[in-house]
Amino acid sequence: MDTDLLAVFRAVATSGSFTAAAGTLGYTQSAVSRQVATLEAELGATLFDRLPRGIRLTESGHCLLPHAEVLTGRLALARADLRALRELRAGALRVGAFPTAGTALIPTVVAAFRASCPDVALTIAEGLVRDLVPCLRAGELDVAIVTSAVDGLLDGLTLRHVLDDTMFVAVHPSHRYAGQAQVRLAELAGDDWIAGRDRPEETLFASADFQPRIAYVVREWVAKQGFVAAGLGITLIPSLAKSSVRADVVLVPLHPDDSPVRVIYAATPTGITPPAALEPFLSEIDQYVSTR
């Protein structure tokens, strides 16, 4: 059964006449009459008795009416739900991010997104890039903030450039270069370094022509800063994490020619229709980057 014909039938049945239904629906009386006749032919049943003074539902019409009310009502609800998704009054967005992005970028963007789209259910998952990417491919995340650190890991994903994350050197306040305008990596060759892994090519040095003397392997940013504050060595701090550096650690800018750069992307699965809320979320990221 054509749902439009059911809607016309329901309007006639509830208003009590073809003319009244036509006024409600914005049709002509003859158009309403034709559509009811079409429905009757389709069903093989007379739905209304046409009387000299109006119309009256037949037994078949009484039988059909509650079904027409349910079907047209559900269709109206479906249209309303779809409209709510388009207008961001409903829906969900699942976001993944690597830990450093959670120091400032993600909290700032989430706060702005919550203010502009309060009815969208937003979930945040933190993880390493190598763990976030499989979640994207499996449809468990709609977007992930990732880096280009591992060759080939992001192949097949749609990548939207967010920013280039440059590095600072975090040193103890008594370090010989604390307070200096900038420093060259070669000047730090004799220092003990604190890194997330013992192989430089798997750390923030991956894009730098420099082999640090890694004295301590410490994975968490807070713990790395603790080692620096204790005078046990120095470490690289990404610009994304600059705002979260503790007060007893000094950041020294690296010379532009030496600074390793991590390219940050918003990654989405290729060929998958995104949720309506994705583009507004990405726009908030663009706004954050433009003001940092």
Side-chain angles (χ1 to χ4, degrees):
M1 286 179 286
D2 188 319
T3 53
D4 289 338
L5 297 182
L6 285 176
V8 172
F9 161 74
R10 179 175 179 272
V12 173
T14 55
S15 65
S17 76
F18 291 126
T19 302
T24 299
L25 297 170
Y27 297 157
T28 63
Q29 187 273 342
S30 60
V32 170
S33 180
R34 284 196 304 273
Q35 291 184 69
V36 171
T38 298
L39 181 61
E40 289 176 321
E42 197 174 288
L43 297 175
T46 300
L47 301 175
F48 296 102
D49 287 323
R50 280 75 166 171
L51 305 173
R53 294 186 178 180
I55 59 171
R56 185 179 299 165
L57 279 168
T58 64
E59 182 180 42
S60 295
H62 279 292
C63 176
L64 179 62
L65 182 57
H67 298 292
E69 288 176 334
V70 169
L71 290 171
T72 56
R74 291 297 299 179
L75 182 60
L77 286 175
R79 286 172 173 157
D81 287 346
L82 289 171
R83 185 167 56 251
L85 286 177
R86 290 194 301 270
E87 296 174 356
L88 301 177
R89 292 182 288 104
L93 186 65
R94 301 162 300 171
V95 178
F98 64 95
T100 314
T103 58
L105 186 155
I106 290 296
T108 304
V109 169
V110 167
F113 182 81
R114 287 286 192 200
S116 61
C117 304
D119 299 318
V120 175
L122 182 66
T123 56
I124 305 295
E126 183 183 90
L128 300 176
V129 175
R130 64 174 178 268
D131 298 321
L132 296 175
V133 168
C135 292
L136 276 176
R137 300 190 194 282
E140 297 167 4
L141 291 173
D142 300 307
V143 61
I145 307 304
V146 299
T147 73
S148 59
V150 180
D151 289 341
L153 182 61
L154 306 182
D155 290 352
L157 297 174
T158 297
L159 303 178
R160 175 165 169 165
H161 180 260
V162 173
L163 57 86
D164 294 334
D165 195 18
T166 56
M167 304 294 157
F168 291 84
V169 180
V171 302
H172 188 273
S174 64
H175 192 275
R176 64 190 183 282
Y177 291 126
Q180 189 160 305
Q182 63 182 20
V183 64
R184 303 296 302 254
L185 281 174
E187 298 174 299
L188 302 170
D191 284 78
D192 288 337
W193 284 86
I194 302 151
R197 294 180 181 273
D198 56 4
R199 298 176 61 185
E201 63 271 20
E202 296 178 354
T203 71
L204 295 175
F205 289 102
S207 62
D209 185 19
F210 177 73
Q211 292 294 312
R213 187 175 72 195
I214 297 176
Y216 302 98
V217 175
V218 181
R219 299 194 183 278
E220 298 296 330
W221 290 111
V222 174
K224 286 180 182 178
Q225 293 181 48
F227 273 66
V228 173
L232 296 173
I234 62 179
T235 193
L236 290 181
I237 295 287
S239 62
L240 275 180
K242 181 181 177 181
S243 63
S244 65
V245 172
R246 49 193 284 174
D248 53 356
V249 169
V250 176
L251 293 186
V252 182
L254 273 173
H255 188 282
D257 293 341
D258 292 349
S259 179
V261 175
R262 291 191 305 177
V263 184
I264 310 300
Y265 299 103
T268 53
T270 300
I272 302 300
T273 301
L278 177 61
E279 192 55 39
F281 185 82
L282 295 178
S283 294
E284 295 293 353
I285 291 179
D286 294 339
Q287 178 63 26
Y288 169 83
V289 172
S290 70
T291 57
R292 69 190 291 266

